[in-house]
Amino acid sequence: MIQRHTIEFLKELIANNNREWFMANKERHETARENVIAFTSELLKLLHKIDPQIDEALDAKKCVMRIYRDIRFSKDKTPYKNYFGVSIPTKGTKAGRAEYYFQISPGNSLIAGGYWMPEAEHLKAIRQEIDYNANDLKKIIDEPEFISLFGDFRKQEQLKSVPREYSADNENIELLKLKSFVAFHPLKDDELLLKNAVPDIAGICGKIYPLNVFLNNALA
């Protein structure tokens, strides 16, 4: 489980997002990061059983993203992220594939999966798969438990216009206009502190798994 001190560290970081405070609390950051790595390691053990496309040799430490922000081209010059992000790729992600994503942020934690903002060629391939096999995707995203966990999949960022390869009267145009293909579920701080947090989150990932299979098959 996530330890309370990890949540408390992030809360204080949000209020003191500057180098002086961070350097004075660097040991707390390392302790919190180690907690997130340990949590991720336990989660990976269960995810391997759910999704065979997760590499068994995946190192939990490499899944936990750096807390340092790249501020070179950002108007926001705060140096640190106010969360821990965990990216769990499926095999082939270096070329761009679906993944699972876990974020620990006080009051704004979540578990997610799918493919966020695919590059042009991958977006084209996913749209083609939707056009050919839309019913397969709709069976996943219109299943009542999926909607209960993740909401309306179609309510994501869409193109304002119709993709040039398709017509406006296509029965699946709302899916074809999507720019991202992500399912996410919010998590309360208290849920992360529970002893069964890892299996609970793995269970949610299990509901995302069919979506990731559909997306990765489109890119095969």
Side-chain angles (χ1 to χ4, degrees):
M1 62 182 174
I2 296 301
Q3 300 293 330
R4 189 173 296 278
H5 65 72
T6 298
I7 302 294
E8 292 304 318
F9 167 78
L10 289 171
K11 285 181 178 179
E12 292 185 38
L13 176 60
I14 292 170
N16 301 277
N17 199 325
N18 60 76
R19 188 175 185 277
E20 291 74 20
W21 183 89
F22 188 85
M23 295 306 294
N25 290 271
K26 196 166 185 180
E27 287 188 11
R28 292 179 64 197
H29 165 254
E30 293 303 320
T31 300
R33 179 177 169 82
E34 286 301 320
N35 176 216
V36 176
I37 291 171
F39 187 96
T40 302
S41 180
E42 292 301 310
L43 182 60
L44 283 172
K45 292 176 184 177
L46 296 183
L47 290 185
H48 290 319
K49 299 176 182 179
I50 293 170
D51 188 344
Q53 285 299 305
I54 294 178
D55 193 337
E56 290 185 4
L58 197 58
D59 184 351
K61 187 177 293 186
K62 293 182 179 179
C63 294
V64 179
M65 302 163 70
R66 287 164 51 88
I67 203 166
Y68 306 98
R69 295 183 64 248
D70 183 352
I71 61 175
R72 290 174 298 173
F73 308 107
S74 176
K75 292 181 180 179
D76 178 3
K77 298 301 181 183
T78 51
Y80 309 105
K81 299 171 186 173
N82 57 10
Y83 61 88
F84 284 107
V86 179
S87 174
I88 301 176
T90 53
K91 290 180 181 178
T93 297
K94 288 184 179 179
R97 292 291 187 275
E99 68 171 5
Y100 302 92
Y101 176 74
F102 177 45
Q103 180 171 299
I104 304 166
S105 179
N108 196 33
S109 297
L110 59 89
I111 183 71
Y115 198 158
W116 182 75
M117 298 296 286
E119 60 183 60
E121 286 302 309
H122 286 178
L123 182 58
K124 181 178 179 180
I126 292 170
R127 284 179 175 153
Q128 179 175 288
E129 185 72 12
I130 292 171
D131 191 37
Y132 290 169
N133 298 300
N135 285 339
D136 291 345
L137 178 59
K138 288 190 282 190
K139 285 179 183 176
I140 298 167
I141 64 174
D142 292 337
E143 198 271 327
E145 188 173 9
F146 188 97
I147 296 172
S148 176
L149 285 169
F150 310 114
D152 188 345
F153 188 79
R154 297 166 180 78
K155 300 291 186 180
Q156 299 185 65
E157 187 174 0
Q158 293 186 345
L159 292 172
K160 293 182 179 179
S161 57
V162 176
R164 66 181 65 182
E165 298 92 346
Y166 304 98
S167 61
D169 61 356
N170 188 301
E171 64 176 320
N172 299 302
I173 196 61
E174 293 304 305
L175 291 171
L176 292 167
K177 288 170 67 177
L178 289 175
K179 298 168 71 173
S180 282
F181 306 86
V182 176
F184 71 92
H185 177 78
L187 297 167
K188 297 178 181 178
D189 293 350
D190 288 346
E191 292 179 275
L192 301 176
L193 304 176
L194 297 174
K195 290 183 179 180
N196 60 341
V198 171
D200 285 351
I201 290 173
I204 295 171
C205 290
K207 301 302 180 182
I208 297 173
Y209 168 62
L211 171 64
N212 281 356
V213 170
F214 178 88
L215 295 170
N216 282 340
N217 284 346
L219 305 172

